[in-house]
């Protein structure tokens, strides 16, 4: 089934640890995104990539990094996790900029 | 940047009644307005979208209206069913831009 796969589905992480959230899409979409979802704040963009080899910062990029080595994969790395990064993280993709997203099922991350 | 406000935050309706969710946006350059439905434990799913050159769009029981002058857009669900119960998010973006700005969500409950 075509779509977006995120892993892990949930994780409890000690503060200060490094963590990579994985995202893979099989729709050959050019653009990919990482959002975090927090209660009362909706969805906020962390980083995006318009095409393989390029990335950009979103609304809340601090503490996060991304890479886009190929079309299908867009991992999100927390170099040194802090409790404020406790959230649900969604990866999304779209055929091009400004077109409705397809979202993954999310990764629930708890930093303790 | 863009600011999207969404109301109400919670909404309960009887099965068969209509539900209306309203969003306002601040940036007159925004020209693409998608709506997403998020069921518990899942990622948001695009249900309908509208571009600024269109005032209304319908898809079966769902419709979206846009008032560019007042900078607001609304989701209308008619003949609601229990399976319509979910959290609904509106968003605004510039069609050639990299970021969607999301509202904070409306939790819709359809009472059988």
């Amino acid at each position: 089934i075509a779509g977006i796969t995120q892993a892990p589905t949930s994780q409890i992480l000690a503060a200060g640890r490094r963590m990579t959230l994985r995202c893979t899409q099989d729709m050959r979409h050019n653009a990919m995104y990482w959002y975090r979802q927090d209660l009362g704040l909706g969805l906020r963009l962390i980083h995006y990539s318009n095409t393989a080899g390029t990335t950009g910062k979103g609304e809340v990029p601090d503490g996060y990094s991304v890479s886009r080595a190929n079309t299908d994969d867009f991992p999100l790395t927390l170099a040194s996790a802090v409790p404020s990064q406790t959230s649900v993280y969604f990866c999304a993709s779209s055929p091009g900029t400004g077109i409705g997203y397809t979202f993954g099922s999310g990764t629930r991350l708890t930093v303790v | 940047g863009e600011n999207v406000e969404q109301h109400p935050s919670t909404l309960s309706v009887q099965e068969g009644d209509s539900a209306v969710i309203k969003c306002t946006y601040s940036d007159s350059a925004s020209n693409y307005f998608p709506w997403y439905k998020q069921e518990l434990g899942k990622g948001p799913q695009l249900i309908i979208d509208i571009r600024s050159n269109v005032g209304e769009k319908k898809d079966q029981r769902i419709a979206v209206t846009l008032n560019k002058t007042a900078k607001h857009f609304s989701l209308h669900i008619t003949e609601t069913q229990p399976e319509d119960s979910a959290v609904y998010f509106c968003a605004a973006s510039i069609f050639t831009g990299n970021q969607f700005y999301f509202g904070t969500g409306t939790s819709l409950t359809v009472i059988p």
Side-chain angles (χ1 to χ4, degrees):
Chain A
I1 297 177
I4 294 180
T5 301
Q6 290 187 238
T9 55
S10 66
Q11 181 75 44
I12 298 174
L13 186 67
R17 296 295 297 269
R18 180 185 180 91
M19 173 79 187
T20 295
L21 308 185
R22 300 186 297 278
C23 175
T24 300
Q25 55 108 353
D26 61 3
M27 298 172 285
R28 307 303 293 174
H29 284 174
N30 286 323
M32 296 188 75
Y33 311 85
W34 275 104
Y35 280 83
R36 60 178 289 172
Q37 185 175 36
D38 301 290
L39 193 63
L41 296 176
L43 290 144
R44 294 179 292 168
L45 182 67
I46 304 171
H47 285 286
Y48 66 89
S49 169
N50 288 336
T51 189
T54 68
T55 63
K57 294 182 179 180
E59 186 179 354
V60 288
D62 294 343
Y64 306 95
S65 63
V66 291
S67 62
R68 187 87 184 276
N70 56 61
T71 297
D72 299 343
D73 300 300
F74 191 44
L76 176 73
T77 297
L78 289 68
S80 179
V82 296
S84 61
Q85 292 177 310
T86 294
S87 186
V88 181
Y89 291 85
F90 287 100
C91 180
S93 71
S94 66
T97 56
I99 302 173
Y101 299 157
T102 298
F103 280 92
S105 298
T107 294
R108 181 175 295 275
L109 181 66
T110 302
V111 182
V112 297
Chain B
E2 174 68 279
N3 181 44
V4 177
E5 295 189 354
Q6 183 172 347
H7 299 281
S9 57
T10 60
L11 179 61
S12 293
V13 299
Q14 292 289 331
E15 182 177 359
D17 288 350
S18 295
V20 180
I21 302 170
K22 299 180 179 179
C23 288
T24 62
Y25 61 99
S26 61
D27 190 346
S28 58
S30 291
N31 55 14
Y32 177 67
F33 307 94
W35 284 89
Y36 288 84
K37 175 184 181 182
Q38 186 176 24
E39 297 176 333
L40 194 63
K42 297 183 179 180
Q45 180 181 11
L46 178 68
I47 56 172
I48 195 167
D49 57 11
I50 191 169
R51 304 194 189 283
S52 60
N53 60 346
V54 175
E56 183 177 3
K57 183 177 179 180
K58 290 183 179 180
D59 183 3
Q60 298 182 341
R61 297 186 296 107
I62 294 173
V64 56
T65 58
L66 172 65
N67 184 325
K68 288 189 295 183
T69 302
K71 296 202 202 67
H72 67 71
F73 56 111
S74 299
L75 178 72
H76 305 254
I77 305 173
T78 59
E79 301 173 18
T80 53
Q81 301 168 3
E83 52 264 38
D84 294 329
S85 296
V87 179
Y88 291 81
F89 291 94
C90 63
S93 77
I94 298 171
F95 186 57
T96 56
N98 296 304
Q99 179 167 354
F100 287 8
Y101 294 89
F102 285 86
T104 51
T106 296
S107 178
L108 173 65
T109 301
V110 179
I111 303 166

